[in-house]
Amino acid sequence: MSKAEQLAEINTRWTRNCTCALRNTATQAVPGDGNPNADIVFIGEAPGKSEDAVGKPFVGAAGKFLNEMLSEVNMKREDVYITNIVKYRPPNNRDPLPEEVAACSPWLLEQLQTINPKLIVFLGRHALNRFFPKAKIGEVHGEMLQQNIDGIPAKNFLPLYHPAAALYNGSLRAVLLEDFKKIPRMLAVN
Ligand code: URA
């Protein structure tokens, strides 16, 4: 089976079987989008209103900003894979609860094991803290974290501020863009 076929099977199976309670309020699952053969996977927090309506991650305002940053480093969405730690929209975009993160976790791990990227980019503190519970996004953003994590083939992680947080905050936006521009160099060293 190709990676694309494996990923399609994973997403179909978990869309059917995921036990996350957010299924009861969300319109649909938002499994992920992009290239199953990507060297880089972006992990956000959870789908918002637009993502819940469309069924794809980062298609709203934050997604438009993400697309702009990708083009700054000569990448397109089709070059990368984009997903979230939680696959269903929390009501009113509240923070996901630990049990919702836990329920969606095996789905995310299977996606990462199949894609097997060189670099995993965390978009925001929720994604960072899912894998590095003690890290503070204000301290580690833009820094390559190298670690073996159970169940994850990748060893290189780049935490970034969340595009939605940086969207309307000029100084955070500039920091995020500068951090984002490190991605090609970080991919090259691996
Ligand atoms: N914010 C996220 O964290 N994920 C999305 O898919 C959209 C907005």
Side-chain angles (χ1 to χ4, degrees), residues 58 61-63 65-66 69 123-124 160-168 173 176:
F58 284 95
F65 184 30
L66 178 60
M69 290 189 287
L123 297 172
L160 298 179
Y161 283 118
H162 195 289
L167 203 49
Y168 304 110
R173 190 185 171 103
L176 173 54

Side-chain angles (χ1 to χ4, degrees), residues 6-178:
Q6 285 179 57
L7 205 53
E9 187 277 324
I10 288 165
N11 289 338
T12 305
R13 175 162 42 80
W14 280 107
T15 297
R16 211 182 302 126
N17 296 343
C18 187
T19 57
C20 181
L22 292 171
R23 292 177 71 118
N24 299 325
T25 48
T27 305
Q28 58 186 319
V30 179
D33 185 35
N35 188 341
N37 297 298
D39 283 339
I40 173 165
V41 171
F42 288 86
I43 306 179
E45 176 184 335
K49 192 167 191 232
S50 311
E51 292 76 22
D52 179 68
V54 175
K56 289 191 175 176
F58 284 95
V59 291
K64 192 160 166 277
F65 184 30
L66 178 60
N67 293 348
E68 284 167 24
M69 290 189 287
L70 282 169
S71 79
E72 284 282 330
V73 296
N74 295 315
M75 286 184 191
K76 295 191 290 290
R77 280 178 77 107
E78 302 81 69
D79 299 325
V80 303
Y81 195 81
I82 304 172
T83 187
N84 286 300
I85 50 169
V86 165
K87 312 301 192 191
Y88 299 89
R89 181 191 183 205
N92 303 314
N93 299 343
R94 65 156 168 73
D95 288 351
L97 301 172
E99 55 268 34
E100 293 158 358
V101 175
C104 293
S105 183
W107 187 344
L108 175 62
L109 291 185
E110 279 200 46
Q111 290 176 316
L112 296 175
Q113 283 156 3
T114 298
I115 299 167
N116 192 12
K118 287 184 185 169
L119 179 67
I120 292 177
V121 177
F122 301 130
L123 297 172
R125 68 185 168 90
H126 288 279
L128 167 67
N129 290 145
R130 158 67 186 81
F131 296 101
F132 293 83
K134 294 199 181 113
K136 298 224 170 17
I137 190 71
E139 291 170 5
V140 299
H141 69 87
E143 233 177 72
M144 171 102 94
L145 306 178
Q146 295 186 297
Q147 195 163 305
N148 287 315
I149 297 181
D150 260 4
I152 305 220
K155 284 171 194 57
N156 301 311
F157 304 88
L158 174 65
L160 298 179
Y161 283 118
H162 195 289
L167 203 49
Y168 304 110
N169 177 327
S171 56
L172 220 54
R173 190 185 171 103
V175 174
L176 173 54
L177 199 51
E178 280 317 298

